[in-house]
Amino acid sequence: MLNGVRDPAPARGRPARPFRRRLRLEGCPPISTSIAPSDSTGQPGDAGHPRAAHALPTTAHTPDAPAAPNARATDGATRRRRFLTYLLAAPTLTVAARLGLDAAAPATAQATPTPAGAAAPTVPARETALPQQLIGLPGIPDIVDLGDAMIIAGLPTSHLLVLEVTTAGRAALHLPRLEVGQGLTTAIAMIVAEELDARLSDVDVPLSDARPELQFNQLTGGSNSIRSLYDPVRAAAAAARARLVTVAAKRWNVPATTLRTAGSAVLAPDGRRLGYGDLAAEAATVAAPAVPAVPKTADQLRLVGRPTGRIDARDIVTGRAEYAGDLRIPGAAPTVVARPDTVNGTLRSLDASAARAMPGVLGVVRIPSGVAVLAETFDQALKARDALRTTWNPGPVAGLSDADVRSRLRAAHLPSLPPPLLSHRVEGEFDFAFVNHAPMEVLTAVADVRPNRAELWFAAQSPILAQGTIAAELGLPENAVTVHVVRGGGSFGRRLFFDAALEAAQVSKAAGRPVKLMWTRNDDMRHGRMRPASHHLIRATYGLGQVFSWEHHVAGVRTDLGHGLGDMLTAAGYNLPLAGLTASELFFLLTEKIPYDVGVPTQLLAELPLDLHTGSWRSVYSGTVRVADEIMMDELARRMGQDELAFRRARMRSASGRAVLDELAKRGNWGRPMPPGHAQGIGYHDEHGAGAAYLVELDTTDRADPRVTKAVVVADVGRVINPRGLEAQLTGALVDGISVILQAGNHLDNGAFREGSYGDFHYARQRHTPPVVEIHLMPPSGPPGGAGELGVPAASAAVANAYARATGTGPRSFPINF
């Protein structure tokens, strides 16, 4: 309920998850395969395209500890997964893999000539207000989290995702996700190359156009891409390899079991070689391969787990990689938009005579969000836009400023529960400012709208929704609108929304010509999406050396999840109307948990419906909820006279979490003496089937310009596909944490956002980042977890806790230097 408080979220903790052994694998080339649902913020993640170009020196280390029993690979959810592979009708080898469910089956692929249906597993019913920890049960995210729900929603169309081996010897996986710098295409190519025994250079991972038939299988988000794609891609590639071997054995008239594969070819013991291109057409006719179509075991891996450079790195650094702004669509006129003085204001009057007379101007068009100017160059368009004479009606939040929002958020909380008798308490209130996504590449979209069709090019995390929305806006059938998904230069959740594409379509239709529309940095800072401001109330009670209860009330400006996630959750079996939950509340329920034993935990969400543009900012609710939790864990530990790291470890509910903290204490030399004004701080976060801990050392001798001087990161994300990509993600999360805790935020002043560029939105520069960053990856023994968003809460909390220890203060409002 908006502006209200839901039932308390039950205690949540992840069942013990063993220490993981990291196995080095060598892999090979790719092949097209069918894939289950996924999201781009999985590993490797968005950190590959930071908001500003800041290189950090990093060193990665992997402990040698052995894997413990009962690893995540034996979790019930994993045991129920099996992938059934089958051929698709095509002139070359084209394989699909569908996720089926079998409670007794291992997560292995089996070759079968026909597709098998897959029914969605039973989804737990909504839980009551009784905290589950009281009856010894895990929390909702430990049973089924957001990533699981996304996988379930994608099951009905998982067979539509395919891998193809062409007669040119190339393996092509058309990826129904968005690459925004997180290295997803490289990770997928590595998985395909590994299982197919192909050269990585022989693998192509182009981005798919919007495909409505995929339904919920083309949404990039939730750190879910690798989690959901890993097993299906492996299964399809293994099935393709088995068929290629079968054809080679038939041609040479030798037993298939005597052959091996390497370097995009099948090899015979006597040295004969057949490339995959030579075998692809005939392999398309093999219904039942002569060798098992089973993915490799951990000790057979050669490429997966090995640090690998991005397959598109050379194109990016040489300028060959094309973003929407680089596209040369014939006749597309550079276009910019004049926008109102306040958020969601409307046009009152317009005099465009001076602008129309300026050199290069091709047209001036009114659209719902403002006034668009078309010209021969962007420079001409920007100058003409500034020459428009406009007056604007105030928007619905005109007159509201930060203080007003904070006041309304505080009023949105309902009363707290009565504390236990004879207990001590620690309480805290925390404010988090609005924060812009601020990706390096500004929003840009190309649109060519004709009377009976439309074609668009832009970076889209939710292309199917964009296609349907734009079709409705233009009055065209959905199949008359083509959306080409183009790589993006960063996102952090921003490109879940397609504001620029919708405007480009409106302008193209009105002007009768193709346009290339660009949002300037100022446009996006002042009229784009924001992480909502939020206010948090936390109260912990304790006595006799024990924590009795943990109550966390969250009041935030409503997060807009209208990018298809609500429909996806409904498809997964969560009927929002019957459950009485909004999409935001359900998202909160599936993601937020406390990893520690803190007695009876309660987490409540209330949302304030202000007419502002909000969105999912990297790590969404956890980016503030878990930061406040971790600050309070430090304060509670000190109040109870215990070391902050030891306090966490003693209450950590998972074995893997304890192992991560132990590794952090050792690698970071926790507790070492520090000079006055310097201190260490730690933070831990557990989500997306993974966990991460950060230790930072902070110099606050200049309170106006504190500097993180060193950071040590330990992460347990299950099987790592590309350690280099994961390191980039974790480093990017560190820079996010430094930014939003110390200096980066957006002020709302009388209905308008004050900041308009990187010059006043103080995202961390190179001088703010630590000279030393160490990243240690725990050895894997289970399937990959999600890492695109994992590090942000832990890094943010570590910086906040270091500041508190260095200054002897208790910071309550973030960013601190705002």
Side-chain angles (χ1 to χ4, degrees):
M1 176 183 299
L2 297 178
N3 264 336
V5 178
R6 307 303 314 172
D7 292 339
R12 305 172 179 86
R14 182 161 63 184
R17 199 168 44 121
F19 202 70
R20 308 177 193 296
R21 177 184 305 118
R22 176 162 167 200
L23 300 170
R24 291 287 185 168
L25 341 162
E26 278 196 348
C28 309
I31 186 160
S32 354
T33 95
S34 121
I35 301 168
S38 99
D39 169 339
S40 93
T41 42
Q43 54 167 317
D46 238 358
H49 257 291
R51 292 168 178 76
H54 308 300
L56 288 180
T58 64
T59 57
H61 306 276
T62 304
D64 298 321
N70 305 317
R72 189 168 47 182
T74 64
D75 290 351
T78 302
R79 286 200 308 268
R80 290 194 295 271
R81 296 179 183 174
R82 87 185 308 175
F83 293 91
L84 309 174
T85 61
Y86 56 94
L87 289 173
L88 298 179
T92 56
L93 178 57
T94 306
V95 184
R98 183 170 193 147
L99 174 61
L101 296 168
D102 184 339
T108 58
Q110 297 184 352
T112 176
T114 56
T122 303
V123 177
R126 181 184 174 197
E127 299 174 6
T128 66
L130 177 65
Q132 284 193 350
Q133 191 171 331
L134 292 179
I135 51 177
L137 295 177
I140 290 177
D142 295 304
I143 301 171
V144 56
D145 66 7
L146 180 66
D148 296 322
M150 294 175 72
I151 292 172
I152 293 168
L155 289 182
T157 62
S158 60
H159 61 290
L160 298 175
L161 308 171
V162 299
L163 175 67
E164 178 187 10
V165 179
T166 71
T167 54
R170 302 201 64 79
L173 177 70
H174 290 266
L175 182 65
R177 300 295 183 273
L178 176 63
E179 170 68 72
V180 284
Q182 77 273 41
L184 177 59
T185 51
T186 298
I188 295 299
M190 290 175 67
I191 297 169
V192 174
E194 178 70 77
E195 294 297 338
L196 192 58
D197 279 331
R199 293 182 292 262
L200 186 61
S201 59
D202 289 339
V203 179
D204 298 315
V205 187
L207 306 183
S208 297
D209 291 347
R211 296 178 55 193
E213 69 274 15
L214 290 176
Q215 297 177 356
F216 304 105
N217 243 338
Q218 202 174 5
L219 178 69
T220 303
S223 295
N224 195 49
S225 291
I226 294 299
R227 286 184 73 185
S228 59
L229 297 177
Y230 179 64
D231 282 331
V233 171
R234 294 174 67 223
R241 173 169 40 86
R243 286 166 169 82
L244 293 164
V245 169
T246 299
V247 172
K250 180 181 177 182
R251 287 194 189 176
W252 289 329
N253 194 26
V254 298
T257 54
T258 66
L259 305 179
R260 65 187 181 91
T261 51
S264 302
V266 180
L267 308 176
D270 59 8
R272 285 179 290 178
R273 179 183 186 279
L274 279 171
Y276 288 162
D278 296 330
L279 302 169
E282 190 174 349
T285 67
V286 176
V291 291
V294 178
K296 295 179 180 180
T297 58
D299 59 341
Q300 296 173 320
L301 299 174
R302 297 178 299 114
L303 179 60
V304 166
R306 189 174 72 190
T308 302
R310 287 182 50 161
I311 60 175
D312 53 0
R314 183 176 296 274
D315 287 347
I316 291 173
V317 299
T318 60
R320 292 182 58 192
E322 288 192 328
Y323 300 85
D326 300 316
L327 300 178
R328 298 181 181 275
I329 306 303
T335 303
V336 294
V337 177
R339 303 182 187 281
D341 302 324
T342 57
V343 177
N344 288 323
T346 56
L347 185 65
R348 179 185 302 168
S349 68
L350 169 66
D351 179 357
S353 56
R356 292 182 190 276
M358 294 179 71
V361 173
L362 301 175
V364 176
V365 173
R366 292 181 62 165
I367 58 175
S369 54
V371 181
V373 178
L374 296 72
E376 294 175 359
T377 69
F378 276 112
D379 180 65
Q380 292 169 333
L382 288 166
K383 289 176 178 176
R385 183 191 66 174
D386 293 342
L388 294 173
R389 297 187 181 94
T390 56
T391 57
W392 303 91
N393 296 310
V397 295
L400 279 185
S401 296
D402 288 335
D404 306 299
V405 173
R406 284 195 294 269
S407 176
R408 293 192 184 192
L409 289 175
R410 286 184 172 89
H413 293 296
L414 291 184
S416 297
L417 299 173
L421 296 175
L422 304 177
S423 65
H424 304 285
R425 73 177 73 174
V426 176
E427 296 180 328
E429 293 191 35
F430 304 90
D431 287 298
F432 293 87
F434 291 99
V435 179
N436 192 269
H437 293 83
M440 272 290 285
E441 182 207 10
V442 294
L443 302 183
T444 306
V446 181
D448 183 1
V449 177
R450 308 292 176 90
N452 298 315
R453 66 174 180 84
E455 196 168 5
L456 295 99
W457 295 259
F458 61 100
Q461 289 183 250
S462 53
I464 296 174
L465 179 64
Q467 180 186 34
T469 303
I470 292 169
E473 173 69 19
L474 299 176
L476 293 174
E478 189 176 80
N479 61 9
V481 176
T482 300
V483 170
H484 301 290
V485 178
V486 182
R487 71 165 64 238
S491 176
F492 316 103
R494 178 63 181 96
R495 299 180 199 278
L496 283 163
F497 292 90
F498 41 91
D499 319 58
L502 181 60
E503 288 183 343
Q506 293 166 339
V507 175
S508 180
K509 179 180 180 180
R513 62 175 300 155
V515 301
K516 181 187 290 186
L517 186 144
M518 178 183 70
W519 280 46
T520 65
R521 177 70 60 200
N522 192 282
D523 288 341
D524 200 35
M525 281 283 180
R526 293 195 162 122
H527 297 276
R529 301 282 168 173
M530 299 276 175
R531 183 185 79 177
S534 61
H535 181 260
H536 301 248
L537 294 172
I538 302 180
R539 180 175 66 190
T541 62
Y542 66 96
L544 303 175
Q546 301 295 321
V547 181
F548 298 142
S549 66
W550 187 280
E551 188 175 359
H552 189 157
H553 290 244
V554 183
V557 175
R558 180 171 54 196
T559 300
D560 187 347
L561 297 177
H563 40 57
L565 181 63
D567 291 337
M568 173 179 282
L569 294 175
T570 300
Y574 299 88
N575 190 307
L576 300 184
L578 289 181
L581 297 174
T582 66
S584 297
E585 291 161 341
L586 188 50
F587 192 110
F588 185 87
L589 195 64
L590 291 172
T591 57
E592 300 313 301
K593 64 178 180 181
I594 301 175
Y596 312 109
D597 181 356
V598 287
V600 180
T602 302
Q603 290 181 294
L604 306 174
L605 172 67
E607 293 208 298
L608 183 67
L610 294 180
D611 195 356
L612 291 167
H613 303 300
T614 63
S616 301
W617 196 90
R618 197 177 183 193
S619 82
V620 198
Y621 295 108
S622 298
T624 57
V625 173
R626 287 290 299 123
V627 175
D629 283 339
E630 287 293 292
I631 294 171
M632 286 296 292
M633 284 294 289
D634 256 30
E635 296 188 7
L636 184 57
R638 291 192 288 268
R639 184 72 65 87
M640 296 177 69
Q642 299 181 33
D643 173 81
E644 293 92 336
L645 192 146
F647 182 77
R648 286 172 171 81
R649 191 190 186 284
R651 288 159 179 79
M652 181 67 69
R653 301 187 65 193
S654 71
S656 65
R658 289 190 292 275
V660 165
L661 290 178
D662 289 344
E663 191 71 15
L664 185 74
K666 179 176 70 174
R667 298 289 188 176
N669 194 14
W670 168 253
R672 74 180 185 89
M674 303 286 287
H678 296 243
Q680 295 177 316
I682 56 172
Y684 176 84
H685 182 55
D686 172 337
E687 194 175 4
H688 310 301
Y694 282 67
L695 183 154
V696 303
E697 296 185 356
L698 185 70
D699 175 0
T700 64
T701 51
D702 181 356
R703 292 284 186 95
D705 191 20
R707 170 80 184 273
V708 175
T709 57
K710 182 179 179 180
V712 178
V713 186
V714 177
D716 175 2
V717 299
R719 180 157 304 285
V720 178
I721 308 304
N722 184 4
R724 188 167 296 164
L726 177 57
E727 291 158 18
Q729 285 182 309
L730 296 170
T731 303
L734 170 64
V735 180
D736 275 344
I738 292 170
S739 302
V740 299
I741 291 299
L742 296 180
Q743 60 210 36
N746 296 80
H747 293 85
L748 182 67
D749 290 337
N750 294 315
F753 283 102
R754 182 189 308 171
E755 289 73 20
S757 72
Y758 280 128
D760 45 21
F761 173 71
H762 299 294
Y763 187 80
R765 303 299 200 268
Q766 186 70 53
R767 67 179 184 273
H768 301 121
T769 57
V772 178
V773 176
E774 295 180 8
I775 295 177
H776 304 271
L777 307 180
M778 300 296 280
S781 62
E789 301 160 286
L790 174 69
V792 175
S796 301
V799 175
N801 284 331
Y803 186 92
R805 298 179 82 229
T807 61
T809 63
R812 290 292 187 265
S813 185
F814 302 98
I816 293 169
N817 292 327
F818 195 26

PDB file of all heavy atoms in Angstrom, residues 163-186:
ATOM      1  N   LEU A 163      21.272 -21.297 -30.232  1.00  0.00           N
ATOM      2  CA  LEU A 163      22.676 -21.218 -30.598  1.00  0.00           C
ATOM      3  C   LEU A 163      22.856 -21.849 -31.975  1.00  0.00           C
ATOM      4  O   LEU A 163      22.355 -22.940 -32.228  1.00  0.00           O
ATOM      5  CB  LEU A 163      23.523 -21.953 -29.568  1.00  0.00           C
ATOM      6  CG  LEU A 163      25.022 -22.092 -29.834  1.00  0.00           C
ATOM      7  CD1 LEU A 163      25.695 -20.733 -29.762  1.00  0.00           C
ATOM      8  CD2 LEU A 163      25.643 -23.046 -28.842  1.00  0.00           C
ATOM      9  N   GLU A 164      23.569 -21.175 -32.837  1.00  0.00           N
ATOM     10  CA  GLU A 164      23.751 -21.672 -34.202  1.00  0.00           C
ATOM     11  C   GLU A 164      25.230 -21.777 -34.552  1.00  0.00           C
ATOM     12  O   GLU A 164      26.023 -20.899 -34.206  1.00  0.00           O
ATOM     13  CB  GLU A 164      23.069 -20.729 -35.202  1.00  0.00           C
ATOM     14  CG  GLU A 164      23.258 -21.144 -36.656  1.00  0.00           C
ATOM     15  CD  GLU A 164      22.720 -20.117 -37.624  1.00  0.00           C
ATOM     16  OE1 GLU A 164      22.374 -19.004 -37.176  1.00  0.00           O
ATOM     17  OE2 GLU A 164      22.664 -20.421 -38.830  1.00  0.00           O
ATOM     18  N   VAL A 165      25.583 -22.867 -35.245  1.00  0.00           N
ATOM     19  CA  VAL A 165      26.920 -23.012 -35.815  1.00  0.00           C
ATOM     20  C   VAL A 165      26.771 -22.906 -37.325  1.00  0.00           C
ATOM     21  O   VAL A 165      26.021 -23.670 -37.939  1.00  0.00           O
ATOM     22  CB  VAL A 165      27.561 -24.355 -35.438  1.00  0.00           C
ATOM     23  CG1 VAL A 165      28.942 -24.479 -36.080  1.00  0.00           C
ATOM     24  CG2 VAL A 165      27.691 -24.485 -33.931  1.00  0.00           C
ATOM     25  N   THR A 166      27.452 -21.950 -37.928  1.00  0.00           N
ATOM     26  CA  THR A 166      27.266 -21.669 -39.350  1.00  0.00           C
ATOM     27  C   THR A 166      28.287 -22.408 -40.206  1.00  0.00           C
ATOM     28  O   THR A 166      29.297 -22.930 -39.712  1.00  0.00           O
ATOM     29  CB  THR A 166      27.395 -20.159 -39.622  1.00  0.00           C
ATOM     30  OG1 THR A 166      28.780 -19.783 -39.473  1.00  0.00           O
ATOM     31  CG2 THR A 166      26.547 -19.356 -38.650  1.00  0.00           C
ATOM     32  N   THR A 167      28.049 -22.428 -41.517  1.00  0.00           N
ATOM     33  CA  THR A 167      28.980 -23.077 -42.439  1.00  0.00           C
ATOM     34  C   THR A 167      30.299 -22.319 -42.535  1.00  0.00           C
ATOM     35  O   THR A 167      31.284 -22.853 -43.043  1.00  0.00           O
ATOM     36  CB  THR A 167      28.349 -23.180 -43.840  1.00  0.00           C
ATOM     37  OG1 THR A 167      27.926 -21.872 -44.261  1.00  0.00           O
ATOM     38  CG2 THR A 167      27.149 -24.123 -43.824  1.00  0.00           C
ATOM     39  N   ALA A 168      30.334 -21.093 -42.038  1.00  0.00           N
ATOM     40  CA  ALA A 168      31.587 -20.336 -41.982  1.00  0.00           C
ATOM     41  C   ALA A 168      32.409 -20.710 -40.754  1.00  0.00           C
ATOM     42  O   ALA A 168      33.483 -20.148 -40.526  1.00  0.00           O
ATOM     43  CB  ALA A 168      31.305 -18.842 -41.990  1.00  0.00           C
ATOM     44  N   GLY A 169      31.892 -21.629 -39.945  1.00  0.00           N
ATOM     45  CA  GLY A 169      32.612 -22.067 -38.759  1.00  0.00           C
ATOM     46  C   GLY A 169      32.461 -21.159 -37.567  1.00  0.00           C
ATOM     47  O   GLY A 169      33.224 -21.256 -36.600  1.00  0.00           O
ATOM     48  N   ARG A 170      31.460 -20.287 -37.595  1.00  0.00           N
ATOM     49  CA  ARG A 170      31.242 -19.364 -36.482  1.00  0.00           C
ATOM     50  C   ARG A 170      30.054 -19.840 -35.654  1.00  0.00           C
ATOM     51  O   ARG A 170      29.086 -20.392 -36.189  1.00  0.00           O
ATOM     52  CB  ARG A 170      31.010 -17.946 -36.986  1.00  0.00           C
ATOM     53  CG  ARG A 170      32.175 -17.424 -37.837  1.00  0.00           C
ATOM     54  CD  ARG A 170      32.190 -15.926 -37.907  1.00  0.00           C
ATOM     55  NE  ARG A 170      32.413 -15.303 -36.593  1.00  0.00           N
ATOM     56  CZ  ARG A 170      33.609 -15.202 -36.018  1.00  0.00           C
ATOM     57  NH1 ARG A 170      34.685 -15.697 -36.599  1.00  0.00           N
ATOM     58  NH2 ARG A 170      33.732 -14.600 -34.857  1.00  0.00           N
ATOM     59  N   ALA A 171      30.152 -19.622 -34.369  1.00  0.00           N
ATOM     60  CA  ALA A 171      29.061 -19.928 -33.452  1.00  0.00           C
ATOM     61  C   ALA A 171      28.398 -18.614 -33.068  1.00  0.00           C
ATOM     62  O   ALA A 171      29.074 -17.678 -32.649  1.00  0.00           O
ATOM     63  CB  ALA A 171      29.578 -20.635 -32.211  1.00  0.00           C
ATOM     64  N   ALA A 172      27.103 -18.533 -33.235  1.00  0.00           N
ATOM     65  CA  ALA A 172      26.396 -17.275 -32.996  1.00  0.00           C
ATOM     66  C   ALA A 172      25.279 -17.477 -31.986  1.00  0.00           C
ATOM     67  O   ALA A 172      24.394 -18.309 -32.186  1.00  0.00           O
ATOM     68  CB  ALA A 172      25.823 -16.725 -34.301  1.00  0.00           C
ATOM     69  N   LEU A 173      25.360 -16.741 -30.911  1.00  0.00           N
ATOM     70  CA  LEU A 173      24.279 -16.701 -29.927  1.00  0.00           C
ATOM     71  C   LEU A 173      23.671 -15.308 -29.972  1.00  0.00           C
ATOM     72  O   LEU A 173      24.331 -14.332 -29.599  1.00  0.00           O
ATOM     73  CB  LEU A 173      24.800 -16.985 -28.527  1.00  0.00           C
ATOM     74  CG  LEU A 173      23.741 -16.898 -27.437  1.00  0.00           C
ATOM     75  CD1 LEU A 173      22.765 -18.052 -27.544  1.00  0.00           C
ATOM     76  CD2 LEU A 173      24.367 -16.880 -26.059  1.00  0.00           C
ATOM     77  N   HIS A 174      22.450 -15.192 -30.446  1.00  0.00           N
ATOM     78  CA  HIS A 174      21.781 -13.891 -30.474  1.00  0.00           C
ATOM     79  C   HIS A 174      21.228 -13.623 -29.082  1.00  0.00           C
ATOM     80  O   HIS A 174      20.255 -14.226 -28.650  1.00  0.00           O
ATOM     81  CB  HIS A 174      20.682 -13.887 -31.546  1.00  0.00           C
ATOM     82  CG  HIS A 174      21.228 -13.907 -32.931  1.00  0.00           C
ATOM     83  ND1 HIS A 174      21.440 -12.761 -33.668  1.00  0.00           N
ATOM     84  CD2 HIS A 174      21.657 -14.943 -33.700  1.00  0.00           C
ATOM     85  CE1 HIS A 174      21.949 -13.087 -34.842  1.00  0.00           C
ATOM     86  NE2 HIS A 174      22.095 -14.402 -34.887  1.00  0.00           N
ATOM     87  N   LEU A 175      21.866 -12.693 -28.402  1.00  0.00           N
ATOM     88  CA  LEU A 175      21.620 -12.481 -26.978  1.00  0.00           C
ATOM     89  C   LEU A 175      20.422 -11.563 -26.755  1.00  0.00           C
ATOM     90  O   LEU A 175      20.453 -10.398 -27.156  1.00  0.00           O
ATOM     91  CB  LEU A 175      22.866 -11.866 -26.344  1.00  0.00           C
ATOM     92  CG  LEU A 175      22.827 -11.612 -24.842  1.00  0.00           C
ATOM     93  CD1 LEU A 175      22.727 -12.924 -24.075  1.00  0.00           C
ATOM     94  CD2 LEU A 175      24.054 -10.821 -24.400  1.00  0.00           C
ATOM     95  N   PRO A 176      19.382 -12.039 -26.103  1.00  0.00           N
ATOM     96  CA  PRO A 176      18.220 -11.192 -25.813  1.00  0.00           C
ATOM     97  C   PRO A 176      18.409 -10.397 -24.531  1.00  0.00           C
ATOM     98  O   PRO A 176      17.561 -10.400 -23.645  1.00  0.00           O
ATOM     99  CB  PRO A 176      17.083 -12.206 -25.691  1.00  0.00           C
ATOM    100  CG  PRO A 176      17.742 -13.416 -25.138  1.00  0.00           C
ATOM    101  CD  PRO A 176      19.144 -13.432 -25.691  1.00  0.00           C
ATOM    102  N   ARG A 177      19.525  -9.741 -24.416  1.00  0.00           N
ATOM    103  CA  ARG A 177      19.845  -8.892 -23.282  1.00  0.00           C
ATOM    104  C   ARG A 177      20.616  -7.684 -23.814  1.00  0.00           C
ATOM    105  O   ARG A 177      21.047  -7.671 -24.963  1.00  0.00           O
ATOM    106  CB  ARG A 177      20.716  -9.627 -22.254  1.00  0.00           C
ATOM    107  CG  ARG A 177      20.076 -10.872 -21.660  1.00  0.00           C
ATOM    108  CD  ARG A 177      18.842 -10.556 -20.833  1.00  0.00           C
ATOM    109  NE  ARG A 177      18.292 -11.760 -20.234  1.00  0.00           N
ATOM    110  CZ  ARG A 177      17.417 -12.558 -20.830  1.00  0.00           C
ATOM    111  NH1 ARG A 177      17.006 -12.292 -22.045  1.00  0.00           N
ATOM    112  NH2 ARG A 177      16.961 -13.621 -20.202  1.00  0.00           N
ATOM    113  N   LEU A 178      20.853  -6.718 -22.964  1.00  0.00           N
ATOM    114  CA  LEU A 178      21.569  -5.521 -23.357  1.00  0.00           C
ATOM    115  C   LEU A 178      22.986  -5.538 -22.790  1.00  0.00           C
ATOM    116  O   LEU A 178      23.179  -5.822 -21.610  1.00  0.00           O
ATOM    117  CB  LEU A 178      20.834  -4.271 -22.865  1.00  0.00           C
ATOM    118  CG  LEU A 178      21.523  -2.927 -23.123  1.00  0.00           C
ATOM    119  CD1 LEU A 178      21.670  -2.661 -24.618  1.00  0.00           C
ATOM    120  CD2 LEU A 178      20.751  -1.788 -22.447  1.00  0.00           C
ATOM    121  N   GLU A 179      23.943  -5.229 -23.620  1.00  0.00           N
ATOM    122  CA  GLU A 179      25.321  -5.024 -23.179  1.00  0.00           C
ATOM    123  C   GLU A 179      25.510  -3.539 -22.903  1.00  0.00           C
ATOM    124  O   GLU A 179      25.376  -2.713 -23.800  1.00  0.00           O
ATOM    125  CB  GLU A 179      26.294  -5.489 -24.269  1.00  0.00           C
ATOM    126  CG  GLU A 179      27.742  -5.112 -24.028  1.00  0.00           C
ATOM    127  CD  GLU A 179      28.369  -5.829 -22.844  1.00  0.00           C
ATOM    128  OE1 GLU A 179      28.634  -7.044 -22.945  1.00  0.00           O
ATOM    129  OE2 GLU A 179      28.594  -5.143 -21.821  1.00  0.00           O
ATOM    130  N   VAL A 180      25.785  -3.205 -21.637  1.00  0.00           N
ATOM    131  CA  VAL A 180      25.971  -1.803 -21.264  1.00  0.00           C
ATOM    132  C   VAL A 180      27.332  -1.599 -20.608  1.00  0.00           C
ATOM    133  O   VAL A 180      27.493  -0.758 -19.735  1.00  0.00           O
ATOM    134  CB  VAL A 180      24.842  -1.305 -20.327  1.00  0.00           C
ATOM    135  CG1 VAL A 180      23.572  -1.054 -21.098  1.00  0.00           C
ATOM    136  CG2 VAL A 180      24.614  -2.286 -19.177  1.00  0.00           C
ATOM    137  N   GLY A 181      28.300  -2.402 -21.036  1.00  0.00           N
ATOM    138  CA  GLY A 181      29.635  -2.262 -20.492  1.00  0.00           C
ATOM    139  C   GLY A 181      29.963  -3.251 -19.400  1.00  0.00           C
ATOM    140  O   GLY A 181      31.071  -3.259 -18.882  1.00  0.00           O
ATOM    141  N   GLN A 182      29.017  -4.112 -19.041  1.00  0.00           N
ATOM    142  CA  GLN A 182      29.252  -5.056 -17.957  1.00  0.00           C
ATOM    143  C   GLN A 182      29.993  -6.297 -18.411  1.00  0.00           C
ATOM    144  O   GLN A 182      30.322  -7.159 -17.610  1.00  0.00           O
ATOM    145  CB  GLN A 182      27.925  -5.437 -17.280  1.00  0.00           C
ATOM    146  CG  GLN A 182      27.068  -6.444 -18.045  1.00  0.00           C
ATOM    147  CD  GLN A 182      26.165  -5.795 -19.041  1.00  0.00           C
ATOM    148  OE1 GLN A 182      26.542  -4.871 -19.730  1.00  0.00           O
ATOM    149  NE2 GLN A 182      24.943  -6.291 -19.144  1.00  0.00           N
ATOM    150  N   GLY A 183      30.273  -6.427 -19.716  1.00  0.00           N
ATOM    151  CA  GLY A 183      31.012  -7.579 -20.205  1.00  0.00           C
ATOM    152  C   GLY A 183      30.180  -8.819 -20.366  1.00  0.00           C
ATOM    153  O   GLY A 183      30.711  -9.937 -20.430  1.00  0.00           O
ATOM    154  N   LEU A 184      28.882  -8.665 -20.490  1.00  0.00           N
ATOM    155  CA  LEU A 184      27.994  -9.824 -20.603  1.00  0.00           C
ATOM    156  C   LEU A 184      28.272 -10.612 -21.881  1.00  0.00           C
ATOM    157  O   LEU A 184      28.292 -11.844 -21.869  1.00  0.00           O
ATOM    158  CB  LEU A 184      26.537  -9.362 -20.567  1.00  0.00           C
ATOM    159  CG  LEU A 184      25.475 -10.444 -20.739  1.00  0.00           C
ATOM    160  CD1 LEU A 184      25.602 -11.497 -19.650  1.00  0.00           C
ATOM    161  CD2 LEU A 184      24.086  -9.829 -20.721  1.00  0.00           C
ATOM    162  N   THR A 185      28.483  -9.925 -22.997  1.00  0.00           N
ATOM    163  CA  THR A 185      28.727 -10.646 -24.244  1.00  0.00           C
ATOM    164  C   THR A 185      30.010 -11.466 -24.158  1.00  0.00           C
ATOM    165  O   THR A 185      30.086 -12.575 -24.704  1.00  0.00           O
ATOM    166  CB  THR A 185      28.799  -9.673 -25.434  1.00  0.00           C
ATOM    167  OG1 THR A 185      29.717  -8.621 -25.130  1.00  0.00           O
ATOM    168  CG2 THR A 185      27.438  -9.053 -25.707  1.00  0.00           C
ATOM    169  N   THR A 186      31.011 -10.954 -23.463  1.00  0.00           N
ATOM    170  CA  THR A 186      32.246 -11.713 -23.299  1.00  0.00           C
ATOM    171  C   THR A 186      32.013 -12.955 -22.454  1.00  0.00           C
ATOM    172  O   THR A 186      32.485 -14.050 -22.790  1.00  0.00           O
ATOM    173  CB  THR A 186      33.328 -10.833 -22.651  1.00  0.00           C
ATOM    174  OG1 THR A 186      33.597  -9.727 -23.512  1.00  0.00           O
ATOM    175  CG2 THR A 186      34.611 -11.617 -22.408  1.00  0.00           C
TER     176      THR A 186
END
